[in-house]
């Protein structure tokens, strides 16, 4: 395969040069952080009073971690490192886990973010000849505008479609000859189900690629979307604290996401001890954004679980790859004392051919015990009024789940299209157990 690069020099830079560049950028970031009311005392407490205290990249570990709590404490302007007149935009997180956190951008910050995005989009093999339908939420959430600016930089024709309204999405795909879409994996699965329902002929569409991100999904889900929609799906990772999308993205080798290390310093740590884990081991991703002027965030604990690849990529890029995000540390369910990640359940459902495209995980208290119920839509070839194949399918899913998560769940099969579909990030878990306080 021939790989294309947006910025070949940076993307294939020898590690030594890349690290020299990171060290300079880290010093500059620390200098800016020292100028903020929130971070100056925190850095001083760690013995860092001047950027010259950072002598090597190893000194990164002397810096305090930043958590969502810090971002809330310093709200609204405690971490702002430039005068407010220089700020041109703000974005906030989706608030999946509480009060949203706010990030500010100067004009240069927006331009850098767009370049990272353009680089990511180009790595997936797209060009200015593509027509890009951006089916993700616009507005204060970073997904919409992030990809939008990057795609414009590449020169693609961008349709700022936003999510929802599948009949309109299909109409636009057909009318404008859309070749690339961007969405959450759950919405892409929903689009495929709707395509069948609305009798859309795939042959009328020119779709060839999709970017899918904003929420965790398994390799089985990727394969399912690719097979059902007959497209190539590229994994896109980012978070608002680190600009938004464009932190890490898959290249055409489609084997892990390149984390753009000229813009981010990445560590993977054990979430309990906060010590680094060996390469290849799963831990919590910690990110430092290097060249942002307005919001300087050092050692941000993403709570996302992943591992570094240990081998270089076939595409020739030198920026390290991370594995598909396994989930968030705070996604983990403890059911009767057993740790379960929703991604383990997703894998089983998505690899069961007769299962449909949507599912819901319910956890409730039943007496002293926790009860796990997995509701799964069935695929189009299963008839709800034919009990035998339905029972067989239910048993198969139950067995596979039990083998994977060591818990015996209740499995309920429901009609295709009957479970709720979110326009943004999917809400897959309903946990009604009373919380300990
Ligand atoms: P919130 O933390 O409120 O959800 P964001 O909208 O910034 O805020 O979402 C960022 C989070 O979304 C990431 O930390 C990660 O948990 C999740 N995410 C984004 N892209 C992916 C992806 N490709 N795979 C898995 N999870 C992702
Ligand atoms: Zn690659």
């Amino acid at each position: 395969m021939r790989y294309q690069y947006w910025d070949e020099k940076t993307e294939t830079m020898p590690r030594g040069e890349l690290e020299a560049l990171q060290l300079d950028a880290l010093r500059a970031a620390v200098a800016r952080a020292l100028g903020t009311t929130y971070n100056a005392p925190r850095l001083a407490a760690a013995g860092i009073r001047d950027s010259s205290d950072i002598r090597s990249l190893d000194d990164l570990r002397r810096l305090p971690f930043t958590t969502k709590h810090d971002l809330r404490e310093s709200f609204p302007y405690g971490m702002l490192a430039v005068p407010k007149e220089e700020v041109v935009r703000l974005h906030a997180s989706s608030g999946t886990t509480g009060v949203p956190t706010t990030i500010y951008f100067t004009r240069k910050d927006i331009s850098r973010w767009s370049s990272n995005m353009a680089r990511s989009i180009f790595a997936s093999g797209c060009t200015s000849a593509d027509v890009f339908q951006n089916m993700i939420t616009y507005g204060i959430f970073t997904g919409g505008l992030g990809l939008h600016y990057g795609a414009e930089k590449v020169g693609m024709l961008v349709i700022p479609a936003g999510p929802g309204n599948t009949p309109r999405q299909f109409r636009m795909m057909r009318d404008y000859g859309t070749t690339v879409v961007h969405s959450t994996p759950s919405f892409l699965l929903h689009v495929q189900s709707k395509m069948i329902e609305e009798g859309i002929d795939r042959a009328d569409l020119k779709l060839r690629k999709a970017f899918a991100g904003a929420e965790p999904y398994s390799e089985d889900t990727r394969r399912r979307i690719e097979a059902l929609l007959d497209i190539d799906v590229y994994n896109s990772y980012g978070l608002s604290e680190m600009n938004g999308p464009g932190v890490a993205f898959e290249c055409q080798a489609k084997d892990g996401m390149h984390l753009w290390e000229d813009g981010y310093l990445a560590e993977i740590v054990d979430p309990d001890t906060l010590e680094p884990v060996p390469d290849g081991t799963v831990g919590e991703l910690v990110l430092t954004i290097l060249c942002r002027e307005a919001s300087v965030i050092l050692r941000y604990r993403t709570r996302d679980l992943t591992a570094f690849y240990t081998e270089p990529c076939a595409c020739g890029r030198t920026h390290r790859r991370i594995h598909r995000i396994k989930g968030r540390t705070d996604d983990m369910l403890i059911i009767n004392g057993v740790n379960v990640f929703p991604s383990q359940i997703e894998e089983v459902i998505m690899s069961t051919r007769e299962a449909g495209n949507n599912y819901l995980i319910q956890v409730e208290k039943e007496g002293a015990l926790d009860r796990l119920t997995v509701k799964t839509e069935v695929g189009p070839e299963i008839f709800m009024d034919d009990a035998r194949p339905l029972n067989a399918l239910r048993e198969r899913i139950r067995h596979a789940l039990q083998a994977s998560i060591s818990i015996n769940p209740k499995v309920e099969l429901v009609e295709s299209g009957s479970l709720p579909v979110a326009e943004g990030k999917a809400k897959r878990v309903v946990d009604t157990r009373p919380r300990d306080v």
Side-chain angles (χ1 to χ4, degrees):
M1 175 175 303
R2 278 187 55 144
Y3 296 100
Q4 60 177 26
Y5 310 103
W6 177 254
D7 174 358
E8 185 166 355
K9 181 169 174 291
T10 313
E11 289 171 54
T12 62
M13 189 175 269
R15 295 289 312 174
E17 266 177 61
L18 190 55
E19 282 164 19
L21 197 136
Q22 287 182 318
L23 180 58
D24 284 346
L26 177 62
R27 286 199 184 109
V30 167
R32 278 196 301 274
L34 282 166
T36 65
T37 50
Y38 192 77
N39 275 318
R42 286 178 6 110
L43 286 167
I48 293 162
R49 290 186 177 74
D50 190 88
S51 60
S52 62
D53 291 331
I54 305 294
R55 289 188 196 87
S56 75
L57 282 179
D58 288 340
D59 284 332
L60 175 67
R61 290 182 55 196
R62 294 173 54 201
L63 308 181
F65 288 101
T66 306
T67 62
K68 265 207 197 281
H69 172 78
D70 294 304
L71 295 176
R72 287 174 189 145
E73 284 273 290
S74 62
F75 181 83
Y77 294 121
M79 278 198 203
L80 188 60
V82 296
K84 235 184 282 165
E85 306 82 277
E86 290 178 29
V87 177
V88 297
R89 198 197 292 171
L90 66 76
H91 277 287
S93 73
S94 327
T96 312
T97 55
V99 183
T101 51
T102 309
I103 303 301
Y104 304 91
F105 298 81
T106 64
R107 210 178 292 283
K108 251 203 190 135
D109 293 339
I110 297 279
S111 161
R112 240 193 118 80
W113 178 23
S114 311
S115 297
N116 274 355
M117 230 27 279
R119 184 197 289 183
S120 305
I121 291 169
F122 213 67
S124 75
C126 292
T127 68
S128 59
D130 279 299
V131 178
F132 175 53
Q133 190 162 324
N134 200 11
M135 307 194 294
I136 211 148
T137 313
Y138 275 71
I140 207 153
F141 168 67
T142 53
L145 285 173
L147 265 290
H148 184 110
Y149 271 54
E152 276 190 4
K153 205 155 199 162
V154 169
M156 296 158 102
L157 167 51
V158 184
I159 311 169
N165 199 341
T166 42
R168 185 165 143 263
Q169 301 282 6
F170 292 133
R171 218 161 36 239
M172 291 194 283
M173 285 179 197
R174 226 175 4 218
D175 291 349
Y176 302 122
T178 301
T179 56
V180 183
V181 291
H182 169 220
S183 187
T184 57
S186 48
F187 191 69
L188 286 173
L189 285 168
H190 173 68
V191 162
Q192 194 275 333
S193 303
K194 283 284 178 196
M195 222 160 142
I196 299 179
E197 234 177 270
E198 288 168 32
I200 306 289
D201 187 353
R202 173 66 179 87
D204 289 344
L205 307 180
K206 293 193 174 137
L207 288 183
R208 59 183 200 108
K209 286 179 201 291
F211 309 140
E215 61 190 18
Y217 61 116
S218 62
E219 194 56 42
D220 290 301
T221 299
R222 185 230 295 266
R223 275 198 286 270
R224 177 181 277 244
I225 300 170
E226 291 193 323
L228 293 175
L229 282 174
D230 188 21
I231 47 171
D232 268 325
V233 173
Y234 290 86
N235 197 357
S236 159
Y237 171 76
L239 59 162
S240 59
E241 293 80 2
M242 295 289 126
N243 284 352
V247 174
F249 211 91
E250 274 180 329
C251 69
Q252 280 181 287
K254 284 210 295 197
D255 186 15
M257 298 180 278
H258 288 282
L259 197 143
W260 302 123
E261 292 186 272
D262 55 322
Y264 302 93
L265 269 177
E267 305 164 81
I268 295 181
V269 303
D270 179 317
D272 296 322
T273 64
L274 301 180
E275 289 298 318
V277 297
D279 276 5
T281 309
V282 174
E284 179 179 347
L285 182 66
V286 173
L287 293 170
T288 297
I289 188 156
L290 286 177
C291 300
R292 195 162 55 190
E293 296 180 325
S295 293
V296 180
I297 299 184
L298 306 170
R299 299 192 85 198
Y300 181 66
R301 290 190 55 185
T302 64
R303 299 189 279 190
D304 292 327
L305 293 169
T306 185
F308 284 122
Y309 277 67
T310 48
E311 298 296 314
C313 186
C315 74
R317 289 181 177 82
T318 48
H319 299 237
R320 278 181 298 176
R321 286 169 297 156
I322 53 168
H323 282 269
R324 185 175 283 293
I325 306 293
K326 189 174 163 211
R328 298 186 183 219
T329 48
D330 41 15
D331 270 353
M332 193 181 74
L333 296 163
I334 304 180
I335 302 174
N336 296 325
V338 179
N339 297 349
V340 177
F341 278 100
S343 59
Q344 293 174 287
I345 297 176
E346 184 199 275
E347 254 169 50
V348 168
I349 293 167
M350 289 299 148
S351 61
T352 307
R353 201 180 46 84
E354 300 90 338
N357 284 344
N358 203 354
Y359 66 95
L360 190 70
I361 299 167
Q362 286 179 328
V363 195
E364 61 214 326
K365 216 53 180 173
E366 213 177 66
L369 290 177
D370 300 326
R371 184 75 177 134
L372 169 67
T373 306
V374 178
K375 287 191 174 169
T376 310
E377 290 187 1
V378 295
E381 68 261 43
I382 301 275
F383 291 103
M384 289 305 283
D385 42 12
D386 196 349
R388 274 247 297 278
L390 220 53
N391 287 337
L393 176 61
R394 186 184 304 117
E395 270 310 286
R396 239 178 51 235
I397 294 177
R398 196 180 59 74
H399 271 285
L401 283 172
Q402 192 168 13
S404 164
I405 59 177
S406 313
I407 285 177
N408 187 9
K410 186 170 159 204
V411 174
E412 282 179 23
L413 297 178
V414 299
E415 224 162 312
S416 171
S418 61
L419 292 176
V421 180
E423 288 202 342
K425 295 170 192 257
K427 281 207 171 38
R428 301 284 200 201
V429 180
V430 180
D431 189 344
T432 56
R433 290 175 296 182
R435 279 179 195 278
D436 297 334
V437 263

